[in-house]
Structures are given as structure tokens and as C-alpha cells.
Amino acid sequence: MELYEAVGQEALMGIVSHLFFIAITFYALQAFMLEKLFKKNKVFQIQLIYILLSIAIGTAVSNFFLQISSWSGKLPYLF
């Protein structure tokens, strides 16, 4: 049963990490004025690009931290 519990905890940590970093990225992207790059009255497209950029960047950052965490946990096997 410990294997299933470990897999479940890893999945939960991955989901929480991805959602956290996507939210942080969305918040950080609000500092940019991307509206000036788009045509006027294209509100939906601007919001969509914010969401897609947030997902792409947040997932990449989350994967980075999850891999670093995984690799650091395996370092004791080196010695």
C-alpha cells in the first residue's frame, strides 16, 4: 500500500505545484501591457493569450522545480 500512497502523493504534489505556478505566472504577466501589441477591441483574444502564456510558462517552471526536487531526493544513492 505504500507504493500507491507514494504515487498518490507525487500526483497531488504535481497538481498543486502546476496550479500554484500557473497562478503566479498569471499574476506576474499582469505587469506587462500586452494589450498594446494587439488590435483594439480584441479583449477575448488578449485574455486567451494571458491564459495560454500562464499555462505554458507556469508548467515549465513547475516541471523544473519538480525535477529538481526529484533529483535532489535521489542524490543519496550517489554515495
Side-chain angles (χ1 to χ4, degrees):
M1 204 62 168
E2 291 179 22
L3 176 65
Y4 293 120
E5 188 175 321
V7 170
Q9 287 176 353
E10 185 178 331
L12 180 63
M13 189 169 77
I15 291 170
V16 169
S17 174
H18 276 61
L19 291 176
F20 174 75
F21 282 109
I22 288 170
I24 293 292
T25 305
F26 185 79
Y27 176 73
L29 284 175
Q30 300 299 312
F32 293 107
M33 297 190 78
L34 292 179
E35 305 86 35
K36 297 195 183 229
L37 299 175
F38 291 89
K39 296 177 183 175
K40 292 190 184 289
N41 300 323
K42 298 290 183 178
V43 176
F44 178 73
Q45 287 88 348
I46 296 169
Q47 290 173 344
L48 187 60
I49 202 72
Y50 272 120
I51 292 168
L52 293 175
L53 278 174
S54 297
I55 291 170
I57 296 169
T59 300
V61 173
S62 177
N63 283 333
F64 170 77
F65 280 105
L66 289 171
Q67 285 181 344
I68 292 293
S69 174
S70 173
W71 292 336
S72 65
K74 295 176 184 173
L75 277 178
Y77 297 115
L78 185 62
F79 302 106

